[in-house]
Amino acid sequence: MSEETKNTEEQVVATEVQETATSAVEEKQDPQQFLADFNWHKYEEGIDEVDEEKLKEFEEALKGTIGFVNESDVIEGTVIRITDRDAIIDINSKSEGVISLNEFRYNPSLAVGDTVEVLVDKREDSSGQLVLSHKKARVIKAWERVNNAHETGEVVNGFVKCRTRGGMIVDVFGIEAFLPGSQIDVKPIRDYDQYVEKTMEFKVVKINHEFKNVVVSHKALIEADIELQKKEIIGQLEKGQVLEGVVKNITSYGVFVDLGGVDGLVHITDLSWSRINHPNEVVELDQKLNVVILDFDDNKSRIQLGLKQLSAHPWEALNNDLKVGDKVTGEVVVLADYGAFVEVEQGVEGLIHVSEMSWSTHLRSAQDFVKVGDKVEAQILTLDREDRKMSLGIKQLHPDPWTDITTKYPVGSTHTGTVRNYTNFGVFVELEEGIDGLVYISDLSWTKKIKHPSDFVTVGQQLEVQVIELDVENRKLNLGHKQTQDNPWDAHEDTFAIGSKHEGTIKDKNDKGATVTLPDGVEGFAPTRFLDKEDGSKLGKGDTAEFVVLEFSKEYRRIVVSHTSIFREQEKRNVKAAVKKAAEAEKTTLGDIGGLADLKKKMEAGKK
């Protein structure tokens, strides 16, 4: 402030004071009291000073009156003008607010005169402008509405914005809510994209206030409607009733059909009279079809439906002239180890048991003869129209090979067959389809001691056999393999006579004795006591020594030998005694034969 200005103000003040004092003197007022009561605030500010308490009372009085707003208040305003970038909003305050059009992107049809919700960000900014926000107001109001909808169960509208993992994002009152895929519809959804950018009705089912998450459901609304329809439909259901439905779901075991809010199951066996592998062979999703109610539980919550029952059973249309013994042609539809099911007409099946596929008595599986899809010709063996059962046979179309078995395979004849199987006691050999014979283990070899047939033959091997025994009535054929060869024991009887000596090698040894391999591959047995050597030790496995034959049996193919008897006198005498006894036995046998011949002659002479 300049000195001149200061002096001027002081002069003015002095003049006013003097005038006032003069006036006071004239009014006979105390100057000191006058100065104490002088209104300095009015003199300096040009206005009387207002008491702070009165200001607060004034502000309280203004609350609720037009034109007064608090920051963070959410109020309604009116759009009075729209520019290229902003919307001008009137909230009945001392000034209008400006909101960017970006906050109204969700509402492209915003127009002058529309009422919108706004939040007062600031009553005045640096330029004295009222600052408003529609977006913030919408979020605050949206949460109020969402919470209210959740509490009351109110149905709300939402805009499906986009797909996301596991479901969809929905705009509800400006809040992004999650719509799980399982909550879109009561039926499985195959195309989620069909719902994008659509406005739908929803129910708020869950709110997480901590994370500000909202979950909505459209399915809940459908279920509520369906529940009403369901009660109405269930009350009218009766067994045998035919209804129209839509295929809702297809599984491996059947088809779920929507009857208009109520689901029923058509089991795979009730879809078609013919056998099918999967329901999709008969129906497809969303297909409309008529079904009949077969059964339901007490609450009618599980409904069993049928489709095939709407058409006549194929057995009823089966040719009445068809009878046992007739030939039929069909397709193999089911295959099991025990047989094959053949569909001779649509829905009419017959079983061919594996025993009726071949005349062979050899146990085999049905897969060895036919496969699914094969066209086969068969003969009807049994036919029961009442129980709808039919048995068929394939082998009956071919002659029974056992019919002329005695001509083709007489006893003593030799043939070549195929080893089909073996057991502990023998080998089954197939001479032709339907003709099997058994070779006992004892009839496999003249010389070898066979513990198990697998040591001698293999399955599939060709084996020469001779017919030993034939039982036509019981279809049994006894075969032998060793009989196709000369019996080497006829020659061994002379070679290995009792008392003869031969060089042999011990093949095996056990507690009872040792198996000794003799010339020509013949095997003999030496008891343990006959394995002593002259020096007192015993022969061991692999040792080669001289042996003397103590016993020979062609019938049992048995030779008993001894090494000890060669050098011990007592054993020598035992050998000589055995030789003598064998000779006497032979002589006695010959004598008996001669005596019988003489007796026969005498009897014949007496008759004359």
Side-chain angles (χ1 to χ4, degrees), residues 250-252 254-255 268 271-272 274-285 287 307 333 343 346:
I250 299 176
T251 68
S252 60
V255 176
I268 187 172
L271 283 171
S272 171
S274 300
R275 258 180 221 270
I276 57 175
N277 296 316
H278 197 277
N280 57 21
E281 297 175 19
V282 180
V283 298
E284 58 186 20
L285 284 173
Q287 178 183 345
L307 180 64
V333 290
E343 188 175 53
Q346 186 175 7

Side-chain angles (χ1 to χ4, degrees), residues 21 28 90 160 165 174 216 219 258 268-269 301 305 314 351 376 383 387 421 445 456 503 539 566 605:
K28 298 181 180 180
D90 180 16
V160 181
R165 184 176 181 181
V216 295
K219 176 182 176 182
D258 183 359
I268 187 172
T269 56
S301 58
L305 305 173
L351 171 65
V376 296
L383 180 62
D387 290 338
N421 194 14
S445 175
F456 188 80
E503 186 179 80
L539 292 171
I566 292 177

Side-chain angles (χ1 to χ4, degrees), residues 411-439:
V411 173
S413 60
T414 301
H415 310 274
T416 300
T418 304
V419 176
R420 290 299 182 192
N421 194 14
Y422 44 67
T423 65
N424 291 331
F425 55 83
V427 179
F428 289 97
V429 177
E430 184 181 60
L431 299 180
E432 65 172 84
E433 184 73 25
I435 302 294
D436 291 345
L438 174 64
V439 180

